[in-house]
Amino acid sequence: AQKITQTQPGMFVQEKEAVTLDCTYDTSDPSYGLFWYKQPSSGEMIFLIYQGSYDQQNATEGRYSLNFQKARKSANLVISASQLGDSAMYFCAMKAGTASKLTFGTGTRLQVTL
Amino acid sequence: GAGVSQSPSNKVTEKGKDVELRCDPISGHTALYWYRQSLGQGLEFLIYFQGNSAPDKSGLPSDRFSAERTGGSVSTLTIQRTQQEDSAVYLCASSSRQGRVTGELFFGEGSRLTVL
């Protein structure tokens, strides 16, 4: 069975600071992909970044980077230079092996303050 | 538009009534997903369609829930004899195997269902 755990229900960060959102996962399949999505108050789900289990480098997309620690089964999202528009819910998700579905964590609500 | 389109955006119904929620995926996307998001919760997988293959219905919570995908495009999620616990946002997503990221899902804006 696949499981995603996000232990931070809420986080605060000051504008222009960096923040790390935690995600741990569990799967017995050696082939998997890890995803982060952002959900603003408008409700849409916005894809941010992807990391494959066999990728040698940590994924980066602009201000987003994924701190992938395979041995610890963690895939933390790092947002650098936070902006007010980063305030949203952030979901970590995983797709493993031949499974068809993305399994989501419970999310972390990030609030960026002045 | 070019994104995933869902309708209605909001639906209020009485307990016991049937509801239909519609999803129009991105053109050319072969995979279509339905998820449910209750207030303050994560996304709960409901059902997955891929091309002409049999759908993965493993997430449907009860036999009151069903979904169809006609012609490999538009999908309808039907909830019969709605209950108050069915109140949630129902999100549809589509995916293309030709996408730049394996398994990346593109989501619609959701249908908010309220059962009174």
Side-chain angles (χ1 to χ4, degrees):
Chain A
Q2 305 165 28
K3 187 175 181 181
I4 292 283
T5 303
Q6 295 180 256
T7 57
Q8 306 155 313
M11 290 280 288
F12 286 90
V13 65
Q14 272 195 322
E15 195 180 20
K16 301 178 185 176
E17 297 292 312
V19 63
T20 298
L21 306 184
D22 293 342
C23 173
T24 58
Y25 60 92
D26 190 25
T27 179
S28 57
D29 201 303
S31 175
Y32 52 89
L34 296 155
F35 303 75
W36 278 91
Y37 280 83
K38 171 184 178 181
Q39 187 178 43
S41 57
S42 57
E44 63 195 294
M45 292 286 286
I46 303 168
F47 167 75
L48 296 178
I49 196 167
Y50 166 83
Q51 179 85 43
S53 59
Y54 296 119
D55 293 345
Q56 296 297 311
Q57 304 287 335
N58 283 350
T60 60
E61 288 283 351
R63 295 186 297 110
Y64 304 109
S65 60
L66 203 152
N67 184 2
F68 182 46
Q69 298 189 40
K70 200 168 183 177
R72 295 186 177 184
K73 292 191 173 181
S74 74
N76 299 338
L77 177 70
V78 180
I79 305 174
S80 62
S82 297
Q83 302 172 357
L84 294 178
D86 294 335
S87 295
M89 280 289 285
Y90 288 81
F91 290 98
C92 181
M94 175 174 65
K95 189 174 183 182
T98 57
S100 56
K101 62 184 181 182
L102 271 184
T103 300
F104 284 83
T106 52
T108 296
R109 181 171 298 281
L110 176 67
Q111 185 67 47
V112 180
T113 61
L114 292 170
Chain B
V4 177
S5 178
Q6 291 188 246
S7 61
S9 55
N10 276 288
K11 176 72 176 179
V12 180
T13 191
E14 293 180 348
K15 178 182 173 181
K17 300 281 189 182
D18 297 351
V19 296
E20 286 188 350
L21 307 175
R22 175 189 167 103
C23 174
D24 200 343
I26 292 172
S27 178
H29 279 193
T30 56
L32 187 147
Y33 302 74
W34 283 98
Y35 283 83
R36 178 169 71 175
Q37 186 176 27
S38 301
L39 187 63
Q41 302 296 312
L43 276 71
E44 175 189 6
F45 169 76
L46 297 178
I47 189 168
Y48 161 75
F49 296 90
Q50 173 62 55
N52 295 321
S53 303
D56 175 357
K57 303 180 181 181
S58 61
L60 293 179
S62 77
D63 59 7
R64 295 185 298 103
F65 288 74
S66 63
E68 290 184 340
R69 189 178 185 192
T70 54
S73 182
V74 172
S75 176
T76 302
L77 177 68
T78 301
I79 309 172
Q80 296 179 308
R81 304 181 303 282
T82 51
Q83 304 294 313
Q84 288 181 333
E85 60 263 29
D86 300 334
S87 295
V89 176
Y90 290 81
L91 289 162
C92 177
S94 69
S95 173
S96 165
R97 289 185 173 174
Q98 284 73 45
R100 65 180 178 91
V101 168
T102 302
E104 176 186 358
L105 272 60
F106 296 83
F107 283 83
E109 295 191 358
S111 292
R112 181 177 298 278
L113 175 65
T114 303
V115 182
L116 301 176

